[in-house]
Amino acid sequence: MFFPKVRLMVLLDEKGRELWRRGEGRAWCSSAVEAALKSQRLIIYEDIPTNGGPDTAVRLLLKTVVVIPVEEGGRRSYLYADSGAQERFSEEEIWQLVGMAKYVLWEKEKEKEKKKEKEKELKEAFVGRSPAAEEVRQRIKKASEGNFPVFIEGETGVGKSIVARLIHELSPRKGKFVVVNCASIPETLFEAEVFGYREGAFTDARRGKPGLVEEAEAGSLFLDEITEISLSGQAKLLDFVERRRYRRIGETAEREANVRLLSASNRSLEKAIASGKFRQDLYHRLSAYRIKIPPLRQRPEDIEDLVEHYRAFLRGRSLSKEALLYLKTHPLTGNVRQLINVLVTLGIEGKGEVGIDEMRKALPPWEFPSRADTVEKLWREIEKGGDFWDVVWARFISRELNRSQVKEFLRHGLLLSGGRWKRLCERMR
């Protein structure tokens, strides 16, 4: 406690809602609070009798109750404080309580400012205007506020490592963000790399070496491509996840770890479990909270924002409307990583505005040949006089075409129609 005499200290807003609390007591003298809120003045109850009457102060065996209006930052709050039956506040102590309340309000304003800065940083780091991108940002925000394991799933290039780093940087953890690329560590070296070893533990161990767990102390350990860990490595990792304790190779004493675990994979953990390649018990411990990042083809409205975010790679160039539309309707299987590579290529190879012909050269025509052939065939039928309902819809109803093929047909048609839905509809009649 800040003041030995104080039993309970509560900061309330103008409507009597609790903002902050310190002390052992739970109940307060409600009549004093109501009087202060109504009069907006200092309320002091002193020398409260220890028996008689139904008042809260009497039932709680209080000696003094004060409710102090506090003005800070253009807002009015009320500091409630009371003392036990044997103690009484002096005038000097009441003023000290006022100072305490102002300090608490100042800290709360600082917290709000930090929160706004973090939200701005989050929006700038994970770019996109789509509802899916906003949902990912909200889940990152929630994950950063806790200390539970997080599993991040998504295709190659969607930004799983960016999300993991954001969770760490927005959290209150002060240690390092350490990345373990599970696919690049040989099975025989996994334990040594992650948990470390002492000098002489094996033939080449001329010096002891701390593991990546130790390097991430008080920080976050990011296990990327976690499905690539062998079953023996998974068993060792499971023991660490359960107990948060480990041994360096060659040591007998256990070490305790204060590390937050983040993990990611571009493969389905459920399928890996079903095929016997991943332990189900480890899966449940690592996926207390999951963040799924949708591929770019499911959120094409984010592509324009991403182009703007990474425009430095274009070296001063800009994209024409047709080039941007082609990029937005293209199935970018490499997601953000592929998009960046395209921008780098365009920035190196040309000058001025990027046209659609140059964009076509920078991107493969189609990355799903079978789907591309189907779409081209459908459009040839449309151009020969067929309409959408006979050529496409009838085949969809009969399950000859699936939903993704219909979407691809419409995207390709939109590209051919200059991005205008009205013109597209006219072409399909």
Side-chain angles (χ1 to χ4, degrees):
M1 282 297 298
F2 294 94
F3 302 97
K5 291 182 181 180
V6 176
R7 181 196 73 102
L8 176 64
M9 193 164 17
V10 184
L11 195 63
L12 306 159
D13 66 11
E14 290 181 298
K15 295 184 178 180
R17 293 175 296 202
E18 185 176 321
L19 301 173
W20 174 88
R21 166 188 290 259
R22 261 311 156 82
E24 298 177 358
R26 296 194 62 81
W28 61 58
C29 179
S30 55
S31 59
V33 171
E34 289 168 6
L37 293 175
K38 188 175 181 180
S39 65
Q40 298 184 4
R41 294 180 180 178
L42 172 67
I43 298 295
I44 301 178
Y45 292 173
E46 290 187 301
D47 298 323
I48 300 167
T50 57
N51 53 42
D55 191 271
T56 316
V58 175
R59 295 201 309 273
L60 294 173
L61 300 178
L62 304 178
K63 183 73 172 179
T64 306
V65 174
V66 293
V67 186
I68 310 163
V70 183
E71 294 281 350
E72 184 71 22
R75 295 181 181 178
R76 174 171 290 180
S77 303
Y78 294 85
L79 178 69
Y80 169 92
D82 61 34
S83 66
Q86 305 303 317
E87 302 288 352
R88 179 178 177 179
F89 296 143
S90 66
E91 184 176 342
E92 182 183 351
E93 287 169 332
I94 290 174
W95 281 110
Q96 287 175 349
L97 288 169
V98 172
M100 181 68 207
K102 285 182 175 289
Y103 175 75
V104 170
L105 288 170
W106 177 80
E107 277 207 325
K108 283 197 161 292
E109 286 300 318
K110 284 290 182 184
E111 284 177 11
K112 285 181 182 178
E113 288 175 13
K114 285 181 181 177
K115 189 175 179 182
K116 286 180 181 178
E117 287 174 6
K118 284 184 175 182
E119 287 177 356
K120 183 181 177 183
E121 182 183 342
L122 178 57
K123 198 161 188 178
E124 289 174 352
F126 193 85
V127 179
R129 68 184 73 174
S130 68
E134 179 59 27
E135 184 180 348
V136 171
R137 284 193 291 269
Q138 290 302 317
R139 293 186 76 80
I140 292 170
K141 184 179 171 184
K142 290 174 183 175
S144 69
E145 294 168 355
N147 198 36
F148 39 79
V150 178
F151 175 69
I152 305 159
E153 55 187 320
E155 294 179 2
T156 298
V158 291
K160 296 185 292 295
S161 59
I162 291 174
V163 168
R165 184 175 290 276
L166 280 169
I167 291 171
H168 170 73
E169 290 179 352
L170 296 175
S171 76
R173 301 191 73 82
K174 305 298 182 184
K176 290 182 180 179
F177 175 74
V178 177
V179 179
V180 183
N181 190 330
C182 302
S184 66
I185 303 176
E187 180 180 349
T188 54
L189 296 179
F190 180 80
E191 187 177 2
E193 284 293 316
V194 174
F195 302 118
Y197 52 85
R198 73 169 179 84
E199 182 181 346
F202 45 86
T203 305
D204 295 327
R206 296 174 183 175
R207 293 181 181 178
K209 180 187 174 183
L212 296 172
V213 167
E214 200 167 336
E215 188 181 342
E217 179 64 22
S220 302
L221 186 69
F222 176 44
L223 302 163
D224 197 11
E225 303 304 339
I226 196 168
T227 51
E228 301 302 316
I229 302 176
S230 67
L231 288 172
S232 62
Q234 290 175 37
K236 294 178 177 71
L237 185 61
L238 175 64
D239 182 63
F240 169 69
V241 173
E242 286 181 331
R243 302 191 303 120
R244 286 294 195 275
R245 301 183 73 85
Y246 67 99
R247 289 190 187 98
R248 285 186 182 181
I249 296 176
E251 290 185 347
T252 55
E254 287 191 331
R255 297 169 182 259
E256 192 170 345
N258 173 21
V259 172
R260 185 180 192 182
L261 288 170
L262 309 172
S263 57
S265 177
N266 61 359
R267 299 184 182 182
S268 167
L269 281 183
E270 287 81 0
K271 289 182 180 178
I273 292 168
S275 63
K277 294 180 180 179
F278 201 82
R279 294 179 63 119
Q280 190 169 13
D281 46 6
L282 180 58
Y283 160 75
H284 288 305
R285 282 162 179 78
L286 290 176
S287 59
Y289 191 75
R290 299 180 70 157
I291 299 177
K292 186 171 184 178
I293 309 174
L296 272 183
R297 63 180 174 274
Q298 292 180 10
R299 46 189 180 100
E301 61 266 49
D302 291 342
I303 291 176
E304 189 171 351
D305 293 339
L306 287 163
V307 170
E308 180 63 26
H309 183 71
Y310 293 111
R311 67 180 305 165
F313 292 118
L314 285 168
R315 298 186 177 186
R317 304 188 73 187
S318 60
L319 305 185
S320 67
K321 289 182 179 179
E322 293 78 11
L324 180 61
L325 181 63
Y326 186 84
L327 186 62
K328 289 170 74 173
T329 56
H330 195 280
L332 293 164
T333 54
N335 294 291
V336 180
R337 193 175 297 150
Q338 184 183 4
L339 175 64
I340 292 172
N341 291 340
V342 169
L343 299 181
V344 169
T345 301
L346 293 170
I348 292 172
E349 293 189 346
K351 294 181 180 180
E353 188 178 68
V354 177
I356 190 168
D357 291 336
E358 192 177 357
M359 182 62 78
R360 283 195 180 109
K361 290 178 183 178
L363 279 167
W366 290 97
E367 295 176 36
F368 305 110
S370 60
R371 186 184 297 178
D373 292 344
T374 301
V375 169
E376 293 290 351
K377 182 180 177 182
L378 294 172
W379 269 104
R380 281 197 295 271
E381 289 187 43
I382 292 287
E383 287 168 354
K384 287 179 181 178
D387 64 25
F388 173 80
W389 303 106
D390 293 332
V391 173
V392 179
W393 189 251
R395 290 174 180 169
F396 175 67
I397 294 298
S398 64
R399 297 187 179 181
E400 187 180 338
L401 295 175
N402 59 37
R403 189 183 298 272
S404 63
Q405 288 172 318
V406 174
K407 284 184 177 179
E408 212 63 65
F409 169 84
L410 292 172
R411 283 178 185 169
H412 190 59
L414 192 62
L415 174 64
L416 296 173
S417 306
R420 298 180 184 179
W421 284 102
K422 186 177 180 181
R423 187 180 295 176
L424 173 62
C425 293
E426 289 172 354
R427 294 185 65 153
M428 294 191 299
R429 288 176 183 172

